[in-house]
Amino acid sequence: MEISALQKERAGYQPKLPKALQGAVKVKEGAPTQSVDNQEDIKKLFPNTYGMPLVEFEPADSANNAKMNVGVILSGGQAPGGHNVISGLFDEVKKLNPDNRLYGFLMGPGGLVDHNYIEITAENLQAYRNTGGFDMIGSGRTKLEKEDQFEKGLEIIKKLDIKAVVIIGGDDSNTNACVLAEYYAAKQYGVQVIGCPKTIDGDLKNDQIETSFGFDTATKTYSELIGNIERDCNSARKYWHFVKLMGRSASHIALECALQTQPNICLISEEIQAKDQTLNDIVEYIAGVVAYRAAQGNNFGVVLIPEGLIEFIPAIGRLIQELNDLLAAHGADYMNLDKDAQRKYILEHLSAENKATFETLPEGVARQLSLDRDPHGNVQVSLIETEKLISEMVAAKLDQWKKEGKYEGKFAAQHHFFGYEGRCAAPSNFDADYCYALGSSAAQLIANGKTGYMAIVKNTTAGTDQWKAGGVPITMMMNMEKRNGEMKPVIRKALVELDGTPFKTFAAQRDKWAKETCYVYPGPIQYWGPSSVCDQTTKTLVLEQTK
Ligand code: FBP
């Protein structure tokens, strides 16, 4: 396989580990934990894995030479650093005992159920160290939730003499990891399950998880591109650029990119929901800024739009809720109908209020909302062209204002969607180190007999030496939420907090950014050079840690 010059040099990078993981390791246990909400329900559903203590690793005098084979699964969307979790896991598993083996299940959780796997060896891992992507073993979105899947998985686990499975995934995948851990514990199968916090979306975080891996690299990649667009925009001074940014629900990615690049406008879905704004309110806000800048002779600008926006506009959110319930109850009759019949079916079954909202949406958007949920029941928002929908509505509003004599200017729009191009970028130094440490922590949790835990690394705004590694019981992050029409135990998603420092920092400056041109050009991720450039963390993380 031919590899790039960067890949060749980068393969030699040795990720840095927290002090506690550099040699022999022992475990310090904290107090018993509680779930974030619905404690009685969660306790009842997870009697074997509820209430366990937080765990922190400390340097020890003598090594634990645990004999253990481990299986690893990459689950859900790609995030930069996944290969380094595997590298950290592999190195630690072999450090514990060179006879230990690591198996990678192929193409996501489905690989466990279908018994598709490879053994990960020093040789085949070498080409993937410090690289982006999940292509070493592939990923998938199969939802592990049924007993027959757990039992099928057990067959291969037994055959390969695997002691534990590590699931590298987002909130949904880690919820499933917890269900699997509980099932194997209840059956006393002696198989442990450990999770690792992955997702570029940045929404798997809480008091214990400072950030999910991949967020750092993905937002730096998007910010580089946004900065380049801003410079182009400020050079030609003739376009308004509408940039949709990935991040299924939460607006963390958009907010972080705004903090890095200072665009003229950045929409934050959580704020729009809190203020109960309509699509028209959003359009009037953007058109107002366009008109203001036009009056100053500036017929250009940059607008950032989080991809999850549509679900957070309250009227559309209510419509989606009802559609979810409708599809959960009648999905089978509905799915076999043709396109027109499906629209008719929906219009006949929706309540009057939601029917009215559905009818006002462009047909393509309405169709996307009523179709194609992913296996976890999510609307596939990355397929909805929100950036075009909004810019077209802004153009119409400006035409109307022109006729009314309220606006004078030229409006020409360009559209971009930054999503997939950030998910497999070569991990930044932060993600390379963070992921390697997460993999090492996962191995230590297994060696110390833990199950139903997620590997964690904290104090990440300090130098890597001072990072603190350990584990958090997954049940601690859970609450009950409605999914596909039923109440289910799930990890609570972290949305942008409107009283948090990152949002407040953005909100304090956005009027200035809208009126003036304050663009910042972050440039590409640097892997070597001054530490102030190549080891910087995200602004979100810094602002959250200094609150
Ligand atoms: P995860 O939550 O699995 O990490 O995936 C995140 C994400 O990249 C979202 O930002 C995006 O909406 C979605 O995946 C796209 O999914 P797909 O890769 O299936 O198109």
Side-chain angles (χ1 to χ4, degrees):
M1 180 170 61
E2 191 176 329
I3 61 169
S4 68
L6 174 77
Q7 228 177 303
K8 249 182 234 160
E9 288 299 328
R10 194 67 182 152
Y13 177 74
Q14 179 52 50
K16 304 184 267 307
L17 276 177
K19 223 179 219 110
L21 291 173
Q22 289 173 7
V25 175
K26 69 175 184 204
V27 151
K28 185 174 110 190
E29 291 195 349
T33 55
Q34 296 271 353
S35 59
V36 285
D37 205 352
N38 311 107
Q39 288 86 4
E40 283 314 310
D41 296 317
I42 305 289
K43 194 172 175 181
K44 221 178 274 163
L45 290 164
F46 296 90
N48 296 282
T49 49
Y50 187 84
M52 301 181 298
L54 284 169
V55 158
E56 191 180 325
F57 299 126
E58 291 186 333
D61 298 330
S62 58
N64 163 352
N65 300 116
K67 174 74 194 83
M68 58 194 217
N69 292 343
V70 174
V72 62
I73 297 172
L74 290 165
S75 180
Q78 286 72 252
H83 290 152
N84 271 31
V85 180
I86 298 180
S87 310
L89 181 62
F90 177 86
D91 290 349
E92 196 70 18
V93 159
K94 292 285 183 187
K95 188 174 99 187
L96 285 161
N97 189 326
D99 293 335
N100 289 341
R101 292 174 160 212
L102 178 64
Y103 296 97
F105 290 101
L106 302 178
M107 303 309 294
L112 176 70
V113 180
D114 300 333
H115 303 182
N116 290 326
Y117 66 93
I118 55 164
E119 180 173 352
I120 295 174
T121 61
E123 292 69 42
N124 61 27
L125 181 59
Q126 188 51 34
Y128 293 95
R129 288 182 186 266
N130 305 309
T131 60
F134 281 5
D135 46 330
M136 180 177 194
I137 54 174
S139 186
R141 292 200 184 274
T142 304
K143 196 167 158 65
L144 275 187
E145 58 175 351
K146 300 199 179 85
E147 285 194 13
D148 60 323
Q149 293 174 307
F150 302 164
E151 291 293 334
K152 275 302 272 173
L154 186 72
E155 289 170 15
I156 190 71
I157 286 172
K158 289 274 171 240
K159 185 169 159 214
L160 299 173
D161 191 23
I162 285 176
K163 181 174 159 72
V165 178
V166 176
I167 299 183
I168 303 172
D171 52 341
D172 288 329
S173 308
N174 275 291
T175 294
N176 296 341
C178 194
V179 174
L180 186 64
E182 175 63 32
Y183 181 83
Y184 286 164
K187 295 272 180 182
Q188 300 185 328
Y189 287 158
V191 180
Q192 298 157 240
V193 183
I194 300 295
C196 276
K198 169 234 72 168
T199 178
I200 62 160
D201 294 1
D203 55 8
L204 176 49
K205 64 176 170 185
N206 46 50
D207 288 348
Q208 301 305 325
I209 299 173
E210 292 182 357
T211 186
S212 55
F213 79 76
F215 178 72
D216 186 272
T217 309
T219 52
K220 283 175 180 159
T221 305
Y222 303 142
S223 296
E224 177 203 350
L225 299 174
I226 295 163
N228 294 350
I229 282 174
E230 287 178 340
R231 204 146 213 171
D232 193 88
C233 174
N234 197 18
S235 305
R237 304 191 177 194
K238 61 177 181 181
Y239 292 128
W240 271 88
H241 291 266
F242 287 76
V243 183
K244 183 176 78 162
L245 288 160
M246 222 177 216
R248 183 185 293 115
S249 298
S251 308
H252 299 294
I253 291 181
L255 178 56
E256 172 62 25
C257 292
L259 291 166
Q260 288 193 33
T261 62
Q262 304 190 174
N264 302 100
I265 295 174
C266 174
L267 302 177
I268 300 294
S269 310
E270 291 81 346
E271 183 185 25
I272 285 161
Q273 185 175 50
K275 291 187 171 162
D276 203 7
Q277 289 181 329
T278 61
L279 200 48
N280 188 52
D281 294 332
I282 297 167
V283 167
E284 285 201 344
Y285 165 61
I286 299 175
V289 174
V290 172
Y292 177 90
R293 288 179 65 82
Q296 317 299 307
N298 296 324
N299 288 299
F300 66 94
V302 173
V303 184
L304 305 187
I305 301 169
E307 76 171 2
L309 175 76
I310 203 103
E311 286 190 276
F312 281 77
I313 297 171
I316 301 181
R318 285 191 292 274
L319 165 66
I320 291 174
Q321 279 303 326
E322 193 177 347
L323 284 171
N324 284 348
D325 292 347
L326 192 68
L327 296 185
H330 303 287
D333 322 338
Y334 165 87
M335 285 305 167
N336 296 326
L337 302 175
D338 70 26
K339 224 161 113 183
D340 294 335
Q342 281 185 338
R343 186 175 167 86
K344 189 163 168 275
Y345 185 95
I346 283 180
L347 287 169
E348 278 168 8
H349 286 79
L350 283 177
S351 61
E353 187 207 346
N354 289 332
K355 182 175 170 218
T357 307
F358 191 82
E359 282 174 321
T360 59
L361 291 173
E363 205 165 322
V365 176
R367 181 156 177 73
Q368 202 44 251
L369 294 185
S370 49
L371 262 192
D372 299 342
R373 298 296 188 266
D374 79 0
H376 297 275
N378 300 304
V379 174
Q380 296 196 345
V381 281
S382 46
L383 303 178
I384 301 175
E385 293 184 316
T386 332
E387 70 285 16
K388 289 198 182 140
L389 169 74
I390 290 183
S391 91
E392 279 164 22
M393 291 178 78
V394 168
K397 182 68 67 184
L398 290 169
D399 277 348
Q400 181 199 327
W401 285 357
K402 204 171 243 173
K403 282 186 200 125
E404 292 165 9
K406 292 190 204 156
Y407 160 71
E408 194 63 51
K410 287 193 197 118
F411 177 75
Q414 295 287 347
H415 304 104
H416 315 264
F417 169 38
F418 297 151
Y420 298 97
E421 48 276 80
R423 297 200 311 186
C424 287
S428 60
N429 286 352
F430 176 86
D431 272 328
D433 294 342
Y434 183 55
C435 290
Y436 191 78
L438 285 172
S440 287
S441 297
Q444 282 297 341
L445 287 168
I446 300 165
N448 286 283
K450 303 295 176 197
T451 190
Y453 274 76
M454 205 182 301
I456 51 169
V457 175
K458 301 207 278 191
N459 203 28
T460 52
T461 47
T464 36
D465 250 22
Q466 295 151 54
W467 288 7
K468 291 185 188 324
V472 54
I474 304 179
T475 49
M476 187 182 177
M477 299 176 256
M478 288 193 150
N479 67 168
M480 302 296 291
E481 287 175 23
K482 198 169 189 187
R483 294 287 167 93
N484 290 329
E486 271 179 70
M487 290 309 281
K488 293 265 184 194
V490 292
I491 293 176
R492 182 184 275 174
K493 227 185 235 312
L495 300 178
V496 168
E497 287 175 9
L498 302 182
D499 58 355
T501 325
F503 177 78
K504 287 207 285 200
T505 305
F506 157 74
Q509 303 179 79
R510 65 175 151 192
D511 286 347
K512 183 174 157 69
W513 299 349
K515 291 181 180 155
E516 299 168 24
T517 301
C518 308
Y519 303 150
V520 175
Y521 314 116
I525 294 175
Q526 302 294 311
Y527 301 96
W528 297 273
S531 178
S532 60
V533 182
C534 62
D535 293 328
Q536 62 182 318
T537 53
T538 59
K539 296 201 182 286
T540 303
L541 189 58
V542 173
L543 291 166
E544 280 174 349
Q545 298 303 307
T546 52
K547 61 188 162 198

